[in-house]
């Protein structure tokens, strides 16, 4: 009897755990669906709030990334850069720089290394203009090194990695 009770408790626990996971998954999917609707309204609206728009994009992108939906993430980010370039009055904000960093990383993940390099070069120009802090440069240089490794261009890869390491040592000792 005690073994049967124990087994029933385990089965019930697993069932309830799965129900909870399903409920969380449903809630997350519903949240993303609502964010996508909100994103579409932002894109069609006459008033463009870049910060709000990119906050929504980054939230949706995080969901896609966490669920290994790389192609949806890439499509989202590419659409976002087109929208920002068409609608934003500003061309160089921390959010736009983050968007270019994510685009570069996404293209590298898709093994489109030349496209990644293009996005990261734009980011580098934006960082230079903005006099960005070392943290962004460190991530940029790491990503540039990886993209150049992807196309087997070892000299720029080494130069970018050396620069990233130098910044890391300066920042973190």
């Amino acid at each position: 009897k005690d073994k049967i009770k124990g087994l029933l408790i385990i089965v019930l626990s697993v069932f309830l755990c799965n129900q909870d996971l399903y409920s969380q998954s449903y809630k997350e999917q519903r949240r993303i669906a609502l964010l996508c609707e909100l994103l579409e309204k932002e894109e069609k609206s006459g008033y463009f709030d870049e910060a709000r728009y990119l906050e929504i994009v980054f939230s949706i992108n995080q969901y896609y990334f966490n669920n290994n939906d790389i192609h949806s993430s890439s499509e989202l980010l590419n659409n976002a850069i087109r929208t920002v370039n068409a609608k934003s009055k500003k061309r160089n904000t921390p959010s736009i720089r983050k968007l270019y960093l994510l685009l570069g990383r996404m293209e590298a993940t898709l093994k489109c290394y030349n496209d990644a390099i293009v996005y990261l070069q734009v980011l580098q120009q934006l960082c230079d203009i903005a006099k960005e802090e070392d943290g962004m440069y460190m991530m940029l240089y790491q990503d540039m090194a990886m993209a150049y490794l992807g196309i087997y261009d070892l000299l720029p890869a080494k130069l970018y990695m050396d620069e990233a390491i130098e910044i890391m040592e300066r920042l973190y000792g």
Side-chain angles (χ1 to χ4, degrees):
K1 263 185 159 176
D2 289 337
K3 287 183 180 180
I4 292 175
K5 277 185 183 177
L7 187 58
L8 284 174
I9 289 173
I10 291 171
V11 169
L12 185 59
S13 296
V14 168
F15 175 75
L16 291 175
C17 182
N18 284 339
Q19 288 294 96
D20 187 45
L21 289 174
Y22 174 77
S23 175
Q24 289 175 355
S25 175
Y26 174 78
K27 287 177 186 174
E28 186 68 9
Q29 289 173 356
R30 183 69 187 132
R31 184 179 83 80
I32 293 304
L34 291 172
L35 283 172
C36 287
E37 289 175 24
L38 191 56
L39 186 67
E40 191 175 321
K41 287 179 185 175
E42 285 287 323
E43 289 172 345
K44 292 178 180 176
S45 128
Y47 173 74
F48 184 72
D49 182 344
E50 175 204 302
R52 177 181 160 98
Y53 176 78
L54 288 176
E55 184 179 322
I56 296 167
V57 167
F58 296 149
S59 292
I60 296 169
N61 185 63
Q62 188 65 47
Y63 172 80
Y64 288 152
F65 183 80
N66 289 345
N67 287 284
N68 206 26
D69 190 350
I70 304 302
H71 292 286
S72 293
S73 181
S74 177
E75 185 179 319
L76 172 74
L77 295 173
N78 279 292
N79 184 57
I81 200 63
R82 283 190 300 274
T83 301
V84 167
N85 284 335
K87 292 190 167 208
S88 183
K89 292 179 176 81
K90 300 173 187 173
R91 294 287 178 234
N92 192 356
T93 65
S95 293
I96 290 174
R97 292 190 295 276
K98 179 180 177 182
L99 181 57
Y100 275 102
L101 180 69
L102 290 174
L103 277 161
R105 287 179 173 175
M106 189 58 51
E107 293 301 328
T109 300
L110 293 169
K111 299 189 185 326
C112 299
Y113 300 111
N114 289 317
D115 292 340
I117 290 167
V118 169
Y119 285 124
L120 294 170
Q121 286 173 335
V122 171
L123 173 60
Q124 187 171 10
Q125 292 170 356
L126 294 174
C127 287
D128 290 346
I129 292 167
K131 309 223 183 308
E132 183 63 68
E133 301 211 5
D134 283 346
M136 178 62 85
Y137 276 111
M138 183 181 69
M139 291 184 290
L140 166 64
Y141 292 152
Q142 287 172 337
D143 292 350
M144 286 290 269
M146 299 310 292
Y148 277 107
L149 276 174
I151 59 171
Y152 304 104
D153 195 346
L154 301 182
L155 182 59
K158 182 184 181 331
L159 294 173
Y160 278 112
M161 189 53 73
D162 288 346
E163 190 66 33
I165 291 169
E166 184 179 309
I167 292 171
M168 186 176 70
E169 288 172 347
R170 190 168 56 242
L171 288 175
Y172 304 111

